[in-house]
Amino acid sequence: MPFVNVPDGYLYFEQHGAGPDVVLLNGGLADVRMWSSTVAWLAETHRVTTWDYRDTGLSSPADREYDEIADLAAVLDAAGIERAVLVGVSDGGRRGLGFAHRHPARVRHLCVVGGSFGEFPDPTPAEEAARVVMRAHFARQAKVLESDGIPAAAEHDVQGWCPAVRGDDRRLLVGLEIANSRVMTMPVHHGVELDPPVKHRFTEVTTPISVLIGGRDFDGTQLWGRRLAAQAPYAELTVLPEADHMPMFSAPDGFREFVSRVLA
């Protein structure tokens, strides 16, 4: 199994296929298994690297501060990747943006899919209203976790973020949240990125960026995508009305077309 040592821990990664490099960045409560259906078609034409963040999957837990951007650089170095297209979903979009800001020469193109950045700096009325809805989701999540436990909290969370995902894909997402429940329950997230955070620095990211938002995602996430597309100097926006936070499951054809267009 391919692991790479990093300060105070280790990271797990996988590679599939051959060709130009694409690196996939997980959603925050998932691991490399979220990408199985994507890797199945993408590895036909590209070398695809997936990896687990600390506290998820087969990577080590963290009990002290660590550099999220340095972790991604360590995976690229261990995997023999000089420059790649990055595709980041949810929290992976934030991590990809931070990496592109610090290491622009190593990123050919960045896809930010349903990027999540938390509270808005200087929010518009629409952005503040959207965050009220998301705060309510998180508050309810905490109550369900306390009263009914991790499986019920995972079900609640997936329903909020991914209302369009059904069947086995839904079961997969719930199972991934349960498997990575350390992220849900730990009191402190030890990962650090840029200072100030990249959400304050969209105008400084010079990498070409393709932003994808789903029409059935939280309004807050959609507004973050629109803010990024408006502020980053080389960004374009794609909207999939039928997609939610995880378009590789809720709108797989549209997601594949989006990624394929970038890679072309």
Side-chain angles (χ1 to χ4, degrees), residues 8 13 23 44-45 70 78 84 88 93 100 234 242 252 261:
D8 302 312
F13 70 96
V23 179
E44 294 177 356
T45 53
Y234 304 106
E242 72 278 19
R261 185 169 65 248

Side-chain angles (χ1 to χ4, degrees), residues 235-257:
E236 62 176 9
L237 176 67
T238 298
V239 180
L240 292 180
E242 72 278 19
D244 55 28
H245 199 60
M246 291 285 180
M248 70 288 299
F249 300 114
S250 56
D253 292 341
F255 176 72
R256 179 170 181 171
E257 180 181 348

Side-chain angles (χ1 to χ4, degrees), residues 16-17 24 32-46 48 50 256:
H16 305 268
L24 306 179
V32 296
R33 290 172 289 181
M34 70 167 282
W35 294 111
S36 295
S37 60
T38 302
V39 169
W41 59 263
L42 188 52
E44 294 177 356
T45 53
H46 290 74
V48 184
T50 59
R256 179 170 181 171

Side-chain angles (χ1 to χ4, degrees), residues 27-34 52-61 145 149-155 157-158 170-186:
L29 286 170
D31 56 45
V32 296
R33 290 172 289 181
M34 70 167 282
D52 290 332
Y53 311 144
R54 300 195 204 203
D55 298 308
T56 67
L58 296 180
S59 292
S60 62
L145 178 62
I150 289 170
E155 287 274 4
D157 201 39
V158 170
R170 183 184 181 86
R171 292 170 177 166
L172 171 65
L173 291 176
V174 172
L176 289 177
E177 287 216 15
I178 294 171
N180 295 294
S181 58
R182 174 179 169 82
V183 179
M184 190 191 305
T185 58
M186 61 187 185

Side-chain angles (χ1 to χ4, degrees), residues 202-239:
F202 291 165
T203 60
E204 302 171 14
V205 182
T206 57
T207 300
I209 301 172
S210 293
V211 181
L212 177 65
I213 57 176
R216 299 189 63 185
D217 201 346
F218 280 110
D219 286 345
T221 307
Q222 296 184 54
L223 290 169
W224 265 120
R226 294 184 184 280
R227 180 182 275 227
L228 172 60
Q231 292 184 359
Y234 304 106
E236 62 176 9
L237 176 67
T238 298
V239 180

